[in-house]
């Protein structure tokens, strides 16, 4: 072996320590002992410490600082997993795949010192890989101010020690890979997308809507795009006439993309058609990463809002028992991503105007129109909780007042709200603006989630056919007085964000209403 090669190996070893992000999930449990191979070599703990990773130090303490990866089978399993991790939406080079394979190729000629260095390198990268599989590469708390998900813990060392003792590295991999239905469907979406040929697309311009039986020059490009995505048969004649076969294909395309399947080619449809295969691949990968942040288990009974899909479902024992349209926050006033637990239902709620709406809406309108507060049935209270007569309201003190809207037909929260603990003062609620539910694009609120058919949801979560059946709920509503009822059942609540999935080998996408997908993908790859 030439001297130059070993200089390269040394360079690779030093460079690895500089390039790999050492962030790992905190261990909850450290197994103190692992069964060692007879050929294991004793390491210098100072060499391990150069990686500045407490988890890695604890890992080698479990072997009394001996090498782990003596068995070729284990090394090959790890390298194969990392080499194919693009199937998991990850990048092999994030785990120094090329450098690891170069060392493995020359295993038979490595000196004991080089074997030790290689062993540490495998451990370092594989631990990071497992952590990324289990909890994601990025930490949402460092990326977003309106995300509040409970942190996920994964004891990487414990899993690896168990896998080594049972001679089953696959078990550690299996336990780290999320198993939620949507996550699995996203991995399948990557596979489905891989079957499509690579494409370089030219943007289809939009000038005006195209309706069935219309003729338009862009229809040839539109038909080609529909053929590419397999919504239209490849035998179709490529003409500028919008025929029945193309209308049917376009409706299928619109349905898969969460658009109104009316066959009318509008701006939203053109925008969806203008996504390339690579853009969709990046979108899927961003969604895979987000799902690694989400809880592993959602519980036996829960409510789940998918913000970009404008939907809420009630799920019991893995079956969806109820679905609702929802209105979510605008891009300016985003609905937060969170996990919590439903606590109470409030009928005929009052509405305390939140700071943002107060600053941007209520105070400016009150200054322009002295009758605004009275017309909205809003009462004003000073710092001593004493009501301030509207005629005595002063713009100079506007920010020091508290503004409360009484129950009634005009109340912004409608007939009820459902509360759950969170840091953003948001909740589920009815609305006095029912017209929002007839719109397809429903990113319209100030951050809270408005529910279509809210009393049905209230009845479902109270789950009391004697005390809170439809008749008794209606009676409370008619009485007009505010009434809060504690939710007895253990119902978890999730507000999540995903814009892609697959179902029955079909790809489904939604508009990225908060523009999170591309930014996240760029962070994952940079």
């Amino acid at each position: 072996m030439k001297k130059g090669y070993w200089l390269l190996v040394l360079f690779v070893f030093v460079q690895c320590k500089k390039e790999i992000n050492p962030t790992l999930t905190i261990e909850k449990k450290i197994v103190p002992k692992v069964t060692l191979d007879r050929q294991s070599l004793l390491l210098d703990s100072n060499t391990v410490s150069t990686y500045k990773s407490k988890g890695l130090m604890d890992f080698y303490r479990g072997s009394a600082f001996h090498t782990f990866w003596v068995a070729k089978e284990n090394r090959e399993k790890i390298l194969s997993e990392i080499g194919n991790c693009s199937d998991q939406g990850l990048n092999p080079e994030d785990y120094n795949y090329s450098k690891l394979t170069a060392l493995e190729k020359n295993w038979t000629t490595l000196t004991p010192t080089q074997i030790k260095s290689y062993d540490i390198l495998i451990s370092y990268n594989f631990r990071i890989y497992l952590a990324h599989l289990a909890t994601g590469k990025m930490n949402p708390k460092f990326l977003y101010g309106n995300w509040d998900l409970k942190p996920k813990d994964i004891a990487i060392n414990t899993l690896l020690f168990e896998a080594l003792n049972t001679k089953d590295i696959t078990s550690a991999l299996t336990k780290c890979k999320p198993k939620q239905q949507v996550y699995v469907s996203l991995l399948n979406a990557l596979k489905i997308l891989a079957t499509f040929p690579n494409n370089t697309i030219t943007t289809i311009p939009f000038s005006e809507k195209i309706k069935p039986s219309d003729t338009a020059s862009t229809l040839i490009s539109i038909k080609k795009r529909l053929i590419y995505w397999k919504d239209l048969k490849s035998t179709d004649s490529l003409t500028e006439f919008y025929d029945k076969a193309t209308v049917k294909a376009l409706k299928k395309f619109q349905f898969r993309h969460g658009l109104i399947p009316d066959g009318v080619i509008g701006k939203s449809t053109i925008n969806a058609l203008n996504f390339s295969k690579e853009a969709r691949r990046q979108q899927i990968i961003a969604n895979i990463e987000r799902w690694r942040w989400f809880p592993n288990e959602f519980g036996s009974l829960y409510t789940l809002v998918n913000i970009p899909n404008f939907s809420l479902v009630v799920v019991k024992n893995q079956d969806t028992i109820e679905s609702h349209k929802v209105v979510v926050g605008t891009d300016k006033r985003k609905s937060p991503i969170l996990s919590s637990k439903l606590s109470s239902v409030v009928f005929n709620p009052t509405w305390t105007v939140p700071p943002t709406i107060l600053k941007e809406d209520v105070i400016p309108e009150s200054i322009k129109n002295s009758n605004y507060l009275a017309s909205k049935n809003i009462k004003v209270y000073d710092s001593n909780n004493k009501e301030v007569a509207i005629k005595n309201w002063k713009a100079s003190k506007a920010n020091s007042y508290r503004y409360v809207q009484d129950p009634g037909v005009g109340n912004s929260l409608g007939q009820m709200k459902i509360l759950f603990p969170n840091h953003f003062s948001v909740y589920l609620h009815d609305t006095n603006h029912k017209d929002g539910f007839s719109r397809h694009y429903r990113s319209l609120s100030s951050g809270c989630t408005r529910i279509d058919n809210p009393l049905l949801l209230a009845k479902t979560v109270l789950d009391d056919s004697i005390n809170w059946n439809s008749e008794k709920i209606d009676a409370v509503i008619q009485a007009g007085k505010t009434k809060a009822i504690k939710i007895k059942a253990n119902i978890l609540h999730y507000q999540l964000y995903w814009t892609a999935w697959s179902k029955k080998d079909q790809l489904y996408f939604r508009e990225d209403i908060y523009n999170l997908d591309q930014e996240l993908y760029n962070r994952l790859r940079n």
Side-chain angles (χ1 to χ4, degrees):
M1 184 60 60
K2 295 181 180 180
K3 183 178 181 181
Y5 173 77
W6 296 121
L7 289 175
L8 174 62
V9 170
L10 178 61
F11 172 77
V12 164
F13 176 64
V14 173
Q15 285 297 106
C16 288
K17 293 187 285 185
K18 294 180 180 179
E19 294 176 5
I20 302 175
N21 181 355
T23 303
L24 279 176
T25 315
I26 296 173
E27 297 282 356
K28 277 190 168 182
K29 177 183 176 184
I30 301 298
V31 176
K33 187 177 180 181
V34 63
T35 303
L36 296 175
D37 190 285
R38 290 181 181 179
Q39 297 176 341
S40 292
L41 303 175
L42 180 64
L43 299 169
D44 183 348
S45 62
N46 289 327
T47 304
V48 180
S49 68
T50 61
Y51 280 84
K52 298 180 180 180
S53 168
K54 182 180 182 299
L56 187 67
M57 285 291 287
D58 289 338
F59 183 54
Y60 277 104
R61 284 194 184 98
S63 69
F65 289 96
H66 283 74
T67 56
F68 282 103
W69 311 111
V70 174
K72 182 179 181 180
E73 180 183 355
N74 285 339
R75 297 196 309 273
E76 288 181 340
K77 173 71 73 174
I78 292 170
L79 292 178
S80 175
E81 180 68 27
I82 293 176
N84 292 298
C85 72
S86 56
D87 293 341
Q88 306 291 323
L90 297 170
N91 182 9
E93 291 309 316
D94 284 344
Y95 316 102
N96 287 283
Y97 176 67
S98 296
K99 298 168 184 178
L100 290 172
T101 52
L103 290 166
E104 179 62 32
K105 183 179 180 181
N106 292 280
W107 171 264
T108 57
T109 60
L110 296 181
T111 67
T113 299
Q114 292 155 353
I115 288 174
K116 295 175 188 179
S117 298
Y118 180 29
D119 194 273
I120 299 171
L121 198 58
I122 292 177
S123 299
Y124 184 63
N125 283 281
F126 193 42
R127 292 183 72 261
I128 293 174
Y129 173 67
L130 291 176
H132 287 178
L133 272 181
T135 64
K137 183 179 176 183
M138 313 297 293
N139 187 333
K141 288 186 177 294
F142 297 147
L143 299 179
Y144 311 114
N146 65 335
W147 285 59
D148 187 22
L149 296 172
K150 294 179 177 62
K152 295 170 69 174
D153 295 309
I154 182 74
I156 300 297
N157 289 348
T158 300
L159 292 179
L160 283 176
F161 289 150
E162 291 174 350
L164 286 161
N165 283 332
T166 58
K167 302 184 185 305
D168 184 12
I169 293 298
T170 303
S171 65
L173 290 163
T174 301
K175 291 175 182 178
C176 285
K177 293 177 181 178
K179 300 172 182 61
Q180 302 104 328
Q181 183 178 350
V182 178
Y183 179 84
V184 173
S185 83
L186 282 164
L187 297 184
N188 188 48
L190 270 186
K191 293 180 181 178
I192 296 169
L193 195 66
T195 66
F196 288 82
N198 292 331
N199 67 336
T200 302
I201 67 171
T202 302
T203 301
I204 300 172
F206 173 78
S207 56
E208 59 184 1
K209 291 182 179 179
I210 303 173
K211 298 180 180 179
S213 298
D214 282 353
T215 299
S217 59
T218 55
L219 274 166
I220 292 177
S221 296
I222 290 169
K223 289 181 179 182
K224 287 181 178 178
R225 208 64 55 83
L226 291 172
I227 290 172
Y228 176 83
W229 290 115
K230 300 180 182 179
D231 293 306
L232 182 63
K233 292 181 179 179
S234 59
T235 55
D236 187 83
S237 58
L238 295 176
T239 68
E240 296 182 355
F241 178 67
Y242 193 13
D243 55 82
K244 290 182 179 180
T246 307
V247 172
K248 182 179 179 181
L250 189 90
K251 286 181 178 180
K252 180 182 177 183
F253 178 89
Q254 289 174 323
F255 177 77
R256 291 193 302 105
H257 291 76
L259 303 169
I260 299 174
D262 56 5
V264 176
I265 305 173
K267 187 175 181 180
S268 295
T269 299
I270 293 295
N271 288 341
L273 284 166
N274 278 329
F275 271 76
S276 65
K277 173 186 175 179
E278 176 59 20
R280 288 305 188 194
R281 187 186 71 85
Q282 294 179 10
Q283 182 179 10
I284 292 169
I285 289 172
N287 278 271
I288 290 172
E289 171 71 5
R290 271 197 292 269
W291 269 91
R292 292 190 177 112
W293 303 339
F294 298 160
N296 288 331
E297 300 292 338
F298 287 88
S300 59
L301 179 61
Y302 59 90
T303 51
L304 173 62
V305 174
N306 180 10
I307 294 170
N309 195 42
F310 310 123
S311 65
L312 177 147
V313 293
V314 183
V315 179
K316 185 175 184 179
N317 297 326
Q318 300 185 347
D319 287 331
T320 299
I321 62 173
E322 198 167 297
S323 300
H324 295 261
K325 292 181 179 179
V326 302
V327 171
V328 300
T330 63
D331 183 53
K332 186 178 179 181
R333 302 176 182 176
K334 297 178 177 66
S335 292
I337 281 71
L338 54 82
S339 59
S340 187
K341 178 183 176 181
L342 300 185
S343 57
S344 62
V345 176
V346 181
F347 293 115
N348 300 315
T350 60
W351 179 52
T352 300
V353 184
T356 301
I357 297 177
L358 190 64
K359 177 183 177 182
E360 299 182 7
D361 301 327
V362 174
I363 291 177
E365 290 297 328
S366 299
I367 292 173
K368 288 191 296 184
N369 178 8
S370 60
N371 191 48
Y372 177 80
L373 293 172
S375 69
K376 297 295 183 180
N377 205 21
I378 295 176
K379 292 180 178 178
V380 182
Y381 297 87
D382 62 19
S383 57
N384 295 317
N385 206 32
K386 291 184 178 180
E387 186 174 353
V388 177
I390 298 300
K391 64 180 181 179
N392 295 328
W393 182 87
K394 296 180 180 179
S396 60
K397 295 184 177 180
N399 289 308
S400 66
Y401 298 134
R402 183 168 58 91
Y403 300 76
V404 181
Q405 188 178 46
D406 284 341
V409 176
N411 188 281
S412 295
L413 304 186
Q415 297 177 322
M416 69 114 237
K417 66 179 178 180
I418 299 178
L419 302 178
F420 47 89
N422 66 90
H423 300 304
F424 309 102
S425 300
V426 297
Y427 35 81
L428 308 174
H429 67 88
D430 182 19
T431 177
N432 59 341
H433 295 294
K434 304 290 188 182
D435 56 318
F437 296 111
S438 63
R439 298 176 61 171
H440 194 69
Y441 184 86
R442 297 193 292 276
S443 177
L444 308 168
S445 82
S446 296
C448 287
T449 303
R450 304 174 192 168
I451 310 293
D452 189 25
N453 201 355
L455 297 185
L456 173 62
L457 181 61
K459 179 183 174 184
T460 298
V461 300
L462 289 173
D463 192 24
D464 187 340
S465 60
I466 297 176
N467 296 306
W468 294 111
N469 53 39
S470 298
E471 291 75 16
K472 294 195 175 181
I473 289 175
D474 289 342
V476 170
I477 296 295
Q478 291 301 316
K481 293 183 178 181
T482 303
K483 188 173 184 63
I485 302 97
K486 183 178 180 180
I487 296 174
K488 296 179 181 180
N490 182 34
I491 305 176
L492 301 179
H493 177 66
Y494 303 94
Q495 294 185 183
L496 305 180
Y497 190 100
W498 74 97
T499 62
W501 63 92
S502 70
K503 185 177 181 181
K504 295 182 179 179
D505 290 333
Q506 291 283 316
L507 296 171
Y508 289 81
F509 298 100
R510 294 296 180 264
E511 183 177 349
D512 180 17
I513 61 173
Y514 294 161
N515 299 308
L516 300 181
D517 289 341
Q518 191 60 53
E519 179 189 16
L520 178 56
Y521 178 82
N522 291 341
R523 287 178 178 271
L524 289 170
R525 290 297 183 256
N526 293 324

